[in-house]
């Protein structure tokens, strides 16, 4: 704030108002709340000292909020109002601050959760700007107005908005609706999830991460999206309402919207992507820059659109989404023009971006070096179409292996490569196919810098070289390489909410059944990217002669500590004594299990999940009919093909077994715990759609298994009908369909 009281310019990212004279805050009906969040506790005394030294905030009443678990004996709290929250958890602090706002004696309340000691000067300026904007607007919201500065916490703003909409009817188009929409936009993270070209329009999918409460009614405000540059907006969307979005835990929130931008009249240039609140009152206006999510960047590349030129012909518009060093803003570079000259101009534009980044890119030396290596080696790869296939860094047993084998045997002259650690026990399975590249080697690096297709059965982090930081790859390399991202996946997605386009950014995502496709389409943000062609590994699902072997293959639990060694734990609850451990031990060590296997002449192989394998090293078993397999060395698909029946809890491998017509038994022993702590809601009901009976507990599981053995693992007709209805394809052409889909996308 200017001490002379002169007009002060307003940051265009924060507001949509002209220069205004700012008031002295001690003359405003205002109170402040400063919050000692978990990440600022250690330096909070410095924050308080900085507040004391800020003349702009002198005379404004301040309340300090901290958690009950914090030692404040050394803090300068004398003369301050102090409120103690139950803990330093963000939700507890936000709830405490909300009560202060609700009972505040002042018209305005500003709550600061930011821990930097320099923020209080900018915060004072933001508060003054908001006061100027809001004090003359006829608002009914209150008793106090929560100011929308960047330092407010999302849970606080979300609860305030929900309660204001619940307390009374807020009509669209009113100042109160605009104020609440502004508050929600100001406190949220504005995230760009994807960009798709359709005709002359690009559709942008946004995630307004506002932590809105699930019981929020439909918000009465609207947003619009714009491409803006030095000379103002060049494309503006229609007004759009918020849409429901299903989060990764299956909770529905009003936090998404899709906006279309007509690119017909957009001139060449470099633009920001911004979101703004729709309002007729400029005092309530709010505009935010948009942060691109990882998924938007991973799928970014040069896109060409044919647009009408107004004279009966067409012209070509090229655009490229990219970001800055820290990834805080979404940029779009646009070029208009057709023919070879335009193509050369675009290449020159990209080369200039490379040159500027290599010469002056701040902070990331590795990214600059990689961009330089790519430029220098480009002539050696200019006419090649590089396909890179993989799974985990040390595995070759899933869809990656089967697709790679198909490509090497059907198209031996193609530039297709598989990346894996050469020290892996599974390396030998794939070495004879040729074109196997050591993971993280220099050759791997070169191929990644020139790849046309990246086809992976797991997260892309397993495919990139270890010495590349994920943020470096997504912000500085992906959009420059432009490889097609293909998700081969490693099983049917029973919990589709775990797959989000904003975090994964696939161009092609394989699905198996119509139910899975519909569920992903409803919750993931994917649509035309979903391709119902089956999975490559299904080509090898041909039953072997009877083996007299039962395969027991449960999945893992992310809430349990799954690794034995200290420093490598993943969950929060101990494995020892858990329901999981008790059931597995009781089952594997059951004398009854040994007896029934002997009686019916079967053996049982227990194959623990990859993430649980270390917990079952040297596990005790009932007898010689029970065997614990090594998850790191066995060929899982061979075991699936050989088994006469599958016992599992929730593993999606039951689709593979059912695909062959092999009986399945589902054993449940921790259903409520699994549903609340591990899984998100599933579209698949095992009891009504599953391929075998569902039983609960140890003894019922042994009962059901004994019944299955007694009929010599013969399929039950009830479940045969379900299998036939579930799969559109039950053949050995899954790899061929996958390759055809990839080639179709490459042709586009």
């Amino acid at each position: 704030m200017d001490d002379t009281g002169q007009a002060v310019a307003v940051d265009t990212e924060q507001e949509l108002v002209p220069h205004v004279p700012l008031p002295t805050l001690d003359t405003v009906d205002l109170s402040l709340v400063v919050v000692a969040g978990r990440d600022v506790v250690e330096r909070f005394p410095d924050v308080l000292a900085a507040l004391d030294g800020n003349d702009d905030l002198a005379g404004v009443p301040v309340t300090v909020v901290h958690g009950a678990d914090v030692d404040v004996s050394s803090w300068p709290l004398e003369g301050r109002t102090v409120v103690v929250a139950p803990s330093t958890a963000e939700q507890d602090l936000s709830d405490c601050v909300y009560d202060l706002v609700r009972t505040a004696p002042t018209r305005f309340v500003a709550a600061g959760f930011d821990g930097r000691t320099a923020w209080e000067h900018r915060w004072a300026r933001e508060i003054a700007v908001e006061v100027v904007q809001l004090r003359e607007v006829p608002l009914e919201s209150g008793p106090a107005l929560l100011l929308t500065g960047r330092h407010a916490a999302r849970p606080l703003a979300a609860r305030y908005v929900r309660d204001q909409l619940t307390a009374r009817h807020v009509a669209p188009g009113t100042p109160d609706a605009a104020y609440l929409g502004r508050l929600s936009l100001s406190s949220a993270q504005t995230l760009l999830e994807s960009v798709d070209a359709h005709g002359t329009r690009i559709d942008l999918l946004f995630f307004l991460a506002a932590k809105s409460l699930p019981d929020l009614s439909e918000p009465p405000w609207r947003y619009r999206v714009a491409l803006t540059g030095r000379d103002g907006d060049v494309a503006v969307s229609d007004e759009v309402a918020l849409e429901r979005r299903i989060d990764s835990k299956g909770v529905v929130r009003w936090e998404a919207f899709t906006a279309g931008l007509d690119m017909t009249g957009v001139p060449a240039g470099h633009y920001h992507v911004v979101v703004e609140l729709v309002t007729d009152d400029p005092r309530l206006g709010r505009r935010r820059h948009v942060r691109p999510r990882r998924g938007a960047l991973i799928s970014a590349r040069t896109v060409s659109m044919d647009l009408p030129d107004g004279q009966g012909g067409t012209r070509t518009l090229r655009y490229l989404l990219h970001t800055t060093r820290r990834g805080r803003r979404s940029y779009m570079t646009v070029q208009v023009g057709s023919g070879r000259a335009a193509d050369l101009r675009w290449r020159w534009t990209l080369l200039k971006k490379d040159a500027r980044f290599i010469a002056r890119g701040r902070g990331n030396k590795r990214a600059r070096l990689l961009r330089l290596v790519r430029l220098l080696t480009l002539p050696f790869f200019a006419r090649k179409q590089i396909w890179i296939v993989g799974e985990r860094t040390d595995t070759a047993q899933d869809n990656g292996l089967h697709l790679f084998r198909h490509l090497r045997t059907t198209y031996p002259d193609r530039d297709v490569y598989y990346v894996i650690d050469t020290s892996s026990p599974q390396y030998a399975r794939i070495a004879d196919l040729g074109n196997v590249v050591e993971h993280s080697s220099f050759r791997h690096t070169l191929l990644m810098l020139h790849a046309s297709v990246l086809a992976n059965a797991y997260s892309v982090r397993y495919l990139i070289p270890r010495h590349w930081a994920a943020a470096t790859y997504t912000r500085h390399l992906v959009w420059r390489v432009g490889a097609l991202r293909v998700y081969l996946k490693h099983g049917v997605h029973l919990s589709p909410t775990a797959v989000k386009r904003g975090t994964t950014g696939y161009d092609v995502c394989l699905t198996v059944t119509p139910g899975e496709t519909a569920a992903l389409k409803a919750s993931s943000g994917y649509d035309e990217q979903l391709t119902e062609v089956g999975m490559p590994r299904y080509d090898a699902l041909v039953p072997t002669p009877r083996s007299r072997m039962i395969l027991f293959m449960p999945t893992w639990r992310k809430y349990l500590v799954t690794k034995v060694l200290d420093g490598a734990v993943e969950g929060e609850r101990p494995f020892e004594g858990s329901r999981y451990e008790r059931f597995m031990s009781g089952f594997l060590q059951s004398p009854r299990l040994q007896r029934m296997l002997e009686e019916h002449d079967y053996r049982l192989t227990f194959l623990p999940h990859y993430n649980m394998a270390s917990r079952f090293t040297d596990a005790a078993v009932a007898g010689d009919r029970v065997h614990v397999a090594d998850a790191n060395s066995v060929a899982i698909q061979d075991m699936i093909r050989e088994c006469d029946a599958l016992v599992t809890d929730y593993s999606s491998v039951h689709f593979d077994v059912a695909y062959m017509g092999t009986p399945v038994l589902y054993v449940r022993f921790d259903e409520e715990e699994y549903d609340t702590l591990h899984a998100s809601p599933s579209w698949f009901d095992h009891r009504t759609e599953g391929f075998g009976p569902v039983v609960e507990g140890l003894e019922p599981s042994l009962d059901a298994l004994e019944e299955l053995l007694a009929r010599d693992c013969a399929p039950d007709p009830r479940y045969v009908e379900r299998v036939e209805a579930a799969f559109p394809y039950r053949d050995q052409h899954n790899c061929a369909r996958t390759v055809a889909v990839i080639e179709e996308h490459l042709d586009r």
Side-chain angles (χ1 to χ4, degrees):
M1 185 168 62
D2 189 332
D3 292 334
T4 66
Q6 298 298 310
V8 177
V10 179
D11 187 338
T12 56
E13 178 180 355
Q14 299 300 313
E15 310 294 346
L16 288 173
V17 295
H19 296 196
V20 291
L22 302 181
T24 303
L25 291 181
D26 60 1
T27 66
V28 177
D29 191 13
L30 167 71
S31 56
L32 304 180
V33 181
V34 288
V35 186
R38 183 172 293 159
D39 58 339
V40 303
V41 166
E42 293 184 359
R43 57 182 182 275
F44 203 71
D46 295 332
V47 173
L48 296 177
L51 282 173
D52 289 338
N54 188 334
D55 294 338
D56 293 333
L57 299 176
V60 179
V62 177
T63 298
V64 175
V65 176
H66 66 80
D69 49 350
V70 177
D71 180 7
V72 299
S73 58
S74 62
W75 291 11
L77 297 176
E78 185 176 354
R80 303 181 191 272
T81 301
V82 179
V83 175
V84 181
S87 75
T88 53
E90 183 183 45
Q91 189 64 59
D92 284 344
L93 293 172
S94 295
D95 288 345
C96 189
V97 175
Y98 179 78
D99 290 337
L100 293 173
V101 173
R102 187 170 50 84
T103 59
T106 55
R107 179 57 173 159
F108 300 103
V109 178
F113 285 71
D114 197 315
R116 291 169 294 174
T117 56
W119 59 256
E120 77 285 348
H121 294 286
R122 185 166 187 174
W123 190 34
R125 178 176 169 277
E126 289 180 354
I127 292 170
V129 169
E130 277 204 274
V131 168
V132 169
Q133 294 173 312
L134 297 179
R135 63 184 174 182
E136 302 300 329
V137 178
L139 295 172
E140 298 180 10
S141 300
L145 293 178
L146 179 63
L147 299 182
T148 61
R150 70 183 67 198
H151 307 294
R154 287 181 289 163
L156 171 63
R159 185 174 175 188
Y160 184 95
V161 168
R162 191 277 308 272
D163 286 0
Q164 292 299 311
L165 292 178
T166 303
R168 66 190 190 286
H169 174 68
V170 178
T174 61
D176 280 274
Y179 163 69
L180 294 174
R182 166 195 172 107
L183 176 57
S184 183
L185 179 63
S186 299
S187 59
Q189 292 184 30
T190 48
L191 305 171
L192 176 62
E193 300 223 292
S194 64
V195 181
D196 293 312
H198 294 102
T200 64
R201 186 189 77 245
I202 60 172
D203 290 335
L204 300 96
L205 174 62
F206 293 91
F207 171 26
L208 189 67
K211 292 196 174 180
S212 67
L213 299 180
D215 57 350
L216 178 70
S217 57
E218 182 175 358
W221 56 82
R222 301 289 184 271
Y223 297 118
R224 67 167 64 96
V225 175
L227 285 184
T228 187
R230 293 181 178 178
D231 298 325
D233 298 342
V234 296
V236 180
S237 75
D238 294 334
E239 300 178 9
V240 292
L242 283 173
E243 303 166 358
R244 290 184 176 92
R245 181 181 186 273
I246 304 175
D247 69 15
S248 59
K249 296 183 178 180
V251 179
V252 179
R253 305 177 190 273
W254 291 94
E255 292 188 342
F257 62 91
T258 301
L261 291 174
D262 188 346
M263 302 295 285
T264 303
V266 175
H270 302 280
Y271 305 107
H272 299 280
V273 181
V274 296
V275 173
E276 69 177 14
L277 175 72
V278 176
T279 176
D280 294 330
D281 190 335
R283 295 172 296 184
L284 291 170
R286 186 72 167 91
R287 172 171 281 200
R288 293 285 306 275
H289 283 280
V290 177
R291 181 190 292 264
R293 295 198 81 188
R294 180 177 57 187
L297 293 175
I298 284 179
S299 59
R301 62 180 60 85
T302 298
V303 179
S304 299
M305 307 171 65
D306 290 329
L307 307 178
D309 61 6
Q311 300 176 355
T314 61
R315 61 191 181 119
T316 299
L317 180 144
R318 294 177 176 85
Y319 72 83
L320 174 66
L321 176 73
H322 54 101
T323 189
T324 55
R325 177 171 65 97
R326 295 184 178 179
R328 293 180 176 176
R329 298 185 180 184
S330 300
Y331 294 94
M332 193 165 288
T333 298
V334 176
Q335 177 194 286
V336 180
S338 302
R340 179 168 177 77
D343 181 62
L344 291 174
R345 224 172 33 249
W346 180 253
R347 292 173 183 269
W348 178 243
T349 297
L350 297 182
L351 284 172
K352 286 192 294 184
K353 287 182 180 293
D354 281 333
R356 283 196 298 269
F357 180 73
I358 292 168
R360 301 194 299 272
R362 291 181 297 169
N364 202 317
K365 294 181 179 179
R366 187 180 300 279
R368 294 162 63 188
L369 176 61
L370 289 172
R371 288 273 283 274
L372 176 60
V373 170
R374 183 183 181 278
L375 275 183
L376 295 176
T377 57
L378 192 60
F380 302 100
F381 294 89
R383 298 185 180 278
K384 293 186 177 182
Q385 190 180 87
I386 306 295
W387 291 34
I388 301 178
V389 184
E391 295 172 1
R392 291 188 178 100
T393 58
D394 60 347
T395 61
Q397 62 182 354
D398 210 317
N399 290 308
L401 166 65
H402 292 280
L403 178 64
F404 182 68
R405 178 181 289 133
H406 172 82
L407 288 166
R408 291 295 292 151
T409 56
T410 309
Y411 309 99
D413 295 331
R414 287 191 174 182
D415 294 310
V416 180
Y417 302 88
Y418 194 98
V419 292
I420 186 173
D421 290 334
T422 54
S423 60
S424 167
Q426 300 179 17
Y427 173 75
R429 296 179 188 167
I430 202 167
D432 290 345
L433 293 173
N435 281 12
V436 179
V437 177
E438 182 176 1
H439 197 286
S440 301
S441 63
F442 181 68
R443 189 183 186 196
H444 180 195
T445 296
L446 281 181
L447 292 173
M448 286 291 294
L449 292 175
H450 300 283
S452 300
V453 175
L454 300 178
N456 192 240
Y458 293 86
S459 167
V460 72
R461 68 187 176 90
Y462 292 109
L463 204 58
I464 65 176
R466 290 187 184 87
H467 50 276
W468 292 13
T472 296
Y473 176 66
T474 55
R475 294 175 190 170
H476 303 300
L477 294 172
V478 171
W479 62 269
R480 195 63 183 95
V481 178
L484 188 75
R485 290 287 317 288
V486 180
Y487 185 37
L488 304 174
K489 67 185 190 176
H490 49 280
V492 174
H493 284 294
L494 295 175
S495 299
T497 55
V499 181
K500 294 294 182 184
R501 190 177 181 191
T503 56
T504 53
Y506 303 120
D507 300 291
V508 178
C509 180
L510 307 188
T511 61
V512 175
T513 74
E516 181 192 24
T517 304
L520 286 170
K521 187 172 293 187
S523 64
S524 67
Y526 288 111
D527 189 356
E528 58 193 27
Q529 296 79 18
L530 301 173
T531 306
E532 197 174 291
V533 296
M535 290 191 291
R537 73 186 189 207
Y538 282 8
D539 282 358
L541 290 180
V542 180
T544 66
R546 295 295 298 274
S547 65
R548 315 300 294 178
M549 186 267 285
I550 307 298
L551 178 61
F552 182 21
M553 193 172 174
T555 190
W556 67 305
R557 304 294 187 270
K558 67 182 180 183
Y559 53 88
L560 296 180
V561 177
T562 58
K563 303 288 182 64
V564 174
L565 298 177
D566 292 338
V569 298
E570 294 181 2
E572 298 178 351
R573 297 189 176 192
F575 175 82
E576 293 79 4
S578 64
R579 290 184 182 179
Y580 191 96
E581 189 266 345
R582 295 200 306 271
F583 179 86
M584 295 302 165
S585 297
F587 189 91
L588 296 175
Q589 298 174 32
S590 169
R592 181 183 171 189
L593 174 63
Q594 175 72 11
R595 286 197 304 270
M596 72 172 68
L597 292 171
E598 290 176 348
E599 179 182 349
H600 298 286
D601 191 25
Y602 277 91
R603 54 193 172 87
L604 182 138
T605 298
F606 174 63
L607 180 60
H609 188 277
Y610 180 90
N611 291 336
M612 307 292 285
S614 63
R615 286 293 179 183
F616 293 97
T617 302
D618 300 323
V621 295
D624 60 355
R625 293 275 176 162
V626 182
H627 170 67
V628 178
D630 181 357
N632 294 307
S633 61
V634 300
I636 293 177
Q637 194 169 55
D638 288 345
M639 301 186 71
I640 291 172
R641 293 170 58 239
E642 294 169 5
C643 73
D644 290 345
L646 172 74
V647 180
T648 187
D649 50 358
Y650 307 92
S651 174
S652 65
V653 76
H654 69 92
F655 281 92
D656 298 54
V657 173
Y659 191 88
M660 298 185 297
T662 303
V664 177
L665 170 62
Y666 305 101
V667 297
R668 303 292 176 84
F669 47 88
D670 61 348
E671 194 160 10
E672 181 179 354
E673 193 175 85
Y674 178 86
D675 288 343
T676 56
L677 300 177
H678 181 94
S680 52
S682 177
W683 58 273
F684 188 84
D685 188 327
H686 290 74
R687 289 180 171 83
T688 61
E689 302 173 86
F691 311 122
V694 178
V695 293
E696 300 178 17
L698 178 58
E699 288 304 319
S701 298
L702 293 171
D703 291 341
L705 178 58
E706 188 163 24
E707 180 182 341
L708 181 61
L709 297 179
R711 68 170 191 265
D712 205 23
C713 294
D716 187 323
R718 292 176 297 170
Y719 302 117
V720 171
E721 293 180 3
R722 292 185 185 179
V723 171
E724 292 175 349
F727 296 97
Y729 306 104
R730 291 181 70 192
D731 57 26
Q732 276 64 55
H733 304 299
N734 297 275
C735 285
R737 285 190 293 270
T738 300
V739 172
V741 167
I742 295 173
E743 290 175 336
E744 178 186 346
H745 279 74
L746 286 173
D747 289 342
R748 293 178 188 175

